[in-house]
Amino acid sequence: MGVELELYQRMIKEFWWLIVFYSSELGGSVGIIFRWIAAVFALYSATIFLKVGETALPRIKEKVAIAILFEALYYLTYIPTVILGFAYPIAEAKRLWYFEPSPPWVITFMIAGVSCLAMVAIITPSLFKLRAKIVKGQPSGVVKWASITGLSYLFVMFWLNYSIAWACTLVHWPERAQPGIEILLRPHNMVSFPLTTVGLLMIALACLKILTPAIKGKSSEVNLKHLGMVVLALGLYFLITRILYHAAGGYHMEPTTWMELSSPSHNPDFWCVSLIFPGAYLATRKS
């Protein structure tokens, strides 16, 4: 987009729309750098914890706080994307250029507007609250807000965000191989659609039930074996989604809204496949 600035300036006549268009890409450029920094600190902290155990907590506290800070900053970079999502219906009505082929307004409005707004408004505050509890060294508060943050990811980042993307895939958009609801008749989509819209909701609801004691300050009542099953299920969801993506031939064979979101090269959440390991560990423990 930097190299083609002059081209975009010629195609986008309205200066305000050019600003919104460029700033909406912060999440995929600056934001992804923030998340990479968060990942480095998180991985370092996890490695130290695995080697030393709970005695490492004072040593890694500041690193964990930094990781959570940059993860929160990552979501804040989606604020311009939210603005674009809500402004796009106006831009489409004025026939302003927005990529080729331009999506129906409802797709951009729901994914960039509604979905990203939910992530910014719900996940970001929970991350900042969790970080504050870690910095202050309040164990009960950390457990509570770690649970709330995890649930916000499950309900918003995964279930709501992915379900909206799948619903938008049912919108008729012939330029992107979206014939409408009949796309569900394809075998891989018969599995992917209910797995996403229903399966992720079931995982989130199960986790809510398991973590409710922790949110109420009774973390000793949390069933870690059941929690491990939920974590394992989430990791398996991403593994199955990856398999379905390649079984369908990838985005090249089916360039739909869902296939774009679920593409391993486009989805920043495929790290969740690694949840299979801690999930299996907890789920198979005897005590």
Side-chain angles (χ1 to χ4, degrees):
M1 292 180 71
V3 173
E4 301 294 343
L5 175 59
E6 291 186 8
L7 172 64
Y8 288 134
Q9 285 178 320
R10 291 196 301 269
M11 300 181 72
I12 303 174
K13 305 300 181 182
E14 298 281 351
F15 182 71
W16 71 270
W17 181 243
L18 182 68
I19 297 298
V20 172
F21 175 72
Y22 266 81
S23 62
S24 69
E25 294 297 322
L26 285 175
S29 53
V30 176
I32 211 67
I33 295 174
F34 287 159
R35 197 171 224 201
W36 178 80
I37 295 172
V40 171
F41 280 96
L43 185 60
Y44 170 81
S45 302
T47 303
I48 298 299
F49 181 80
L50 287 172
K51 286 183 178 180
V52 183
E54 291 188 8
T55 57
L57 292 178
R59 176 181 170 187
I60 65 176
K61 183 177 74 172
E62 291 184 0
K63 278 75 174 179
V64 173
I66 293 173
I68 294 174
L69 171 63
F70 276 95
E71 177 76 351
L73 292 176
Y74 162 72
Y75 282 103
L76 285 179
T77 60
Y78 279 94
I79 292 177
T81 306
V82 175
I83 296 172
L84 180 139
F86 283 92
Y88 182 71
I90 301 173
E92 189 187 53
K94 291 186 176 183
R95 298 183 180 277
L96 300 180
W97 185 88
Y98 180 64
F99 291 118
E100 290 292 345
S102 295
W105 71 268
V106 67
I107 293 179
T108 302
F109 173 76
M110 291 301 297
I111 293 178
V114 175
S115 185
C116 288
L117 176 61
M119 288 189 284
V120 171
I122 297 175
I123 296 178
T124 308
S126 66
L127 284 167
F128 279 122
K129 190 71 174 181
L130 173 59
R131 180 183 178 275
K133 296 297 182 182
I134 291 173
V135 171
K136 292 178 182 178
Q138 300 175 346
S140 60
V142 170
V143 172
K144 175 181 177 179
W145 282 98
S147 300
I148 293 173
T149 303
L151 288 169
S152 70
Y153 272 77
L154 283 172
F155 279 101
V156 178
M157 180 65 237
F158 300 136
W159 174 67
L160 180 65
N161 183 33
Y162 289 7
S163 294
I164 286 178
W166 240 121
C168 289
T169 305
L170 304 181
V171 175
H172 181 63
W173 188 10
E175 295 87 354
R176 288 285 294 270
Q178 291 187 191
I181 196 169
E182 57 265 35
I183 198 172
L184 295 178
L185 298 178
R186 299 171 186 175
H188 56 281
N189 291 333
M190 288 182 182
V191 177
S192 179
F193 179 73
L195 188 67
T196 298
T197 56
V198 179
L200 285 178
L201 179 60
M202 293 299 102
I203 290 174
L205 290 173
C207 197
L208 174 61
K209 182 178 180 181
I210 294 167
L211 292 179
T212 295
I215 296 173
K216 293 181 178 180
K218 302 176 182 178
S219 58
S220 60
E221 297 180 11
V222 174
N223 190 315
L224 293 182
K225 192 177 185 71
H226 291 170
L227 182 61
M229 292 177 182
V230 168
V231 174
L232 175 60
L234 182 62
L236 288 174
Y237 166 81
F238 280 92
L239 177 61
I240 295 170
T241 299
R242 181 75 177 265
I243 293 172
L244 290 173
Y245 176 85
H246 291 293
Y251 179 77
H252 175 72
M253 294 299 295
E254 192 176 278
T256 63
T257 302
W258 172 249
M259 292 296 275
E260 181 177 11
L261 179 68
S262 62
S263 167
S265 61
H266 195 265
N267 188 315
D269 298 312
F270 265 100
W271 61 270
C272 290
V273 170
S274 65
L275 294 175
I276 290 174
F277 302 107
Y281 172 75
L282 286 177
T284 55
R285 289 189 68 186
K286 294 182 179 180
S287 60

